[in-house]
Amino acid sequence: MKTASIIGIDLAKNTFQLHGVDAEGRVVLRRMLRRDQIATFFANLPSCLVGMEACASSAYWGRVIEECGHTVRRIHAKFIKPYLMADKNNANDAAAICEAVSRPHMRFVPSRTQEQSDIQAIHRVRRCLVQPRTAAINQARGLLAENGIVIKQGACHVRSQLPAIVNNPDNGLSVPMRRLLASIYENITFLDSRIIEHDKALHEIAKAHEACKRFMKVPGIGVLTATILLTMAGSAADFKNGREFAAYLGLVPRQYSTGGKHRLLGITKRGDGYARTLLIHVARAVLRTMKIGRAPLGDGMRADWLARLMDRRGYNRASVALANKMARTAWRMIPQGTEYQMVA
């Protein structure tokens, strides 16, 4: 086999398809490998550029191939589709990836370290526990309402009042309903304990990283947002500026312009929806406290600018604009190691 300068790899569960070209673009490699052959193959291959689709297990294989001395670039699937020259199959997909990764202006998905992937996994597992807990709380309130007992909205009211309601013999609940509500309360308690465990893990991570401590000095940003920003903005070199990072999170307008007519729509919602949601919730919290004059704001987040923006564009657009500024501020704090500056 001649020396391949660019290799596209189509990832799968058991068999991987490879397509390689030399420096002049001639095809020098077409091969299918098993899962256990990938590390050995790239360890014996001269250093080259390897492209792959940003899909499940791509972060792992990217780290494995980089350890062998190669440069790995991950590409979003929709940027690979235009380079598919024929019908879809593994060989053609690998060829399309090889062609896409060679383009000089291609956009790549940032790589993450093992630690960043672990932090993100904690967030994912925690979110999968929060969702059933919310469903259980709403289900308990609904079942009680069907039996003529109304509890105020809020998880704290359900936690505090549900045990007393189950043990009250004068509220007219049947025995099967009491057992059902008791089991729902046990499920809520179990989920609360699991979520607390993950919260403690995230608190330990925030204490151990100086970047998280700097993030949490930004108004509204807490442990959850700081740790997820560490996984997203930790690779600051992957973005030219804070504007690119905000666009990566989907916090910029989606454009649909033609014929000299410029039209800006809603936000693009690209990137990680979880990180974007946290930033928007942080911005809403800052706006709520700003209305009562208790939100400390720093450079680039002045209260007068936000007040004018809310009057002109509304509360939701102001929340997204503030989330955009927070993302750009967080990215700026990474490479320079600066602290958040408060306005006197």
Side-chain angles (χ1 to χ4, degrees), residues 119-129 228 272 274-275:
I119 296 173
Q120 194 176 54
I122 295 175
H123 278 272
R124 295 293 184 265
V125 174
R126 182 187 180 277
R127 183 176 61 173
C128 289
L129 294 173
I228 199 64
D272 190 350
Y274 176 72

Side-chain angles (χ1 to χ4, degrees), residues 123 206 211-213 215-216 221-231:
H123 278 272
C212 290
K213 297 178 181 178
F215 287 153
M216 287 189 290
I221 292 183
V223 173
L224 289 179
T225 309
T227 50
I228 199 64
L229 281 176
L230 181 66
T231 67

Side-chain angles (χ1 to χ4, degrees), residues 264-275:
L264 297 179
L265 307 176
I267 58 176
T268 62
K269 296 185 178 180
R270 292 181 177 177
D272 190 350
Y274 176 72

